[in-house]
Amino acid sequence: MNFPFVYEGQPYRVLFGHGMLGELPDEAERLGCGRLLVLSTPDQRAAAEEVAALLGDRCAATYHDARMHTPVEVTEDAMVVVAKHRIDGLVALGGGSAIGLSKAIALRTDLPQIAVPTTYAGSEMTRIIGQTEAGEKTTQVTAKVLPETVIYDVDLTLTLPPKLSITSGINAMAHAVEALYATNGNPIVQLMAEQGIAALYRGLPTIAQCPDDKDARRDALYGAWLCAICLGQTSMALHHKLCHVLGGSFDLPHAETHTIILPHALAYNAPAARDAVGAIKRALGGDGIAGRIYDLAEGAGVPVALRDLGMEESDIDRTVALVLATAYANPRPLEPKLLRRLIANAWAGVRPDHSTYAD
């Protein structure tokens, strides 16, 4: 454990359980919001309209064009709606795209937010916002983007397709994995990280086979919540830097990219993060942790190679250069040759083990 340490609790309110979406009107009233904007992606339009109906007169408008990586031009388009309808609060329904747009609007307006996650992405628990402009994704940390209320309704995840559940869940695991070796980690976060990884690893294989299993869905959402808290409490390292570069520069899908990169980033850092490795072994139930995560993805039939997401082999060297140009703090120094091997292996879909990134 890291002693001494600093732990700073975040001022959000969380509602967790089955059927919790019904509490949304009361939460809106508690926040004093009477002209809400409901945000979603195009795929979630029908569900967002149901949320708007649940809010009744408290919903002033809806916006269904949230996109991955929070493009600035989309935020500017949504800001027109905010001004036109005199919006006084935001409801984000969905995953990182909808919640990211809500955060981007809050950054510019300081409007209160209610996040209703339907995936395991975790953005709702953090003061982090990532935005993409001119092909480059940048992040910043500010309390202005932290939602005031988060409603975790397990029932809303029952329709999340099994493959998306797996990629979203492994994305969530990545938050906890990096929290375990973050430079500003602490024992409280380490406890949540281990429990979060364990709950996801317990729930996800069942979801892959039986997507309507409510106990597995509860475990996965609970684990995702814990992992998201970890992301909001600590700094990010190599895994997230790689995913930010790949997503912002090559427009690769968010959850799938995290799923592919995590086993490789974990294998790379394992020699310099013994305590973290021990916690992850306990959470996953044994050795070979990078391979176990890879096998979870492959067994569920989700992509394990960046080339399957549309990345060109010629982009490998550019990715190396972009990561090295503004690297995040990492437990193991970034060695260009090994970093290139990591990205090349992730591109090809090679299963990593403890020796893949040995010197």
Side-chain angles (χ1 to χ4, degrees), residues 262-294:
L262 179 59
H264 295 277
L266 177 54
Y268 182 95
N269 278 327
R274 300 296 185 186
D275 289 344
V277 167
I280 298 167
K281 284 181 180 180
R282 291 192 296 272
L284 300 186
D287 293 328
I289 52 179
R292 284 174 182 259
I293 296 172
Y294 179 97

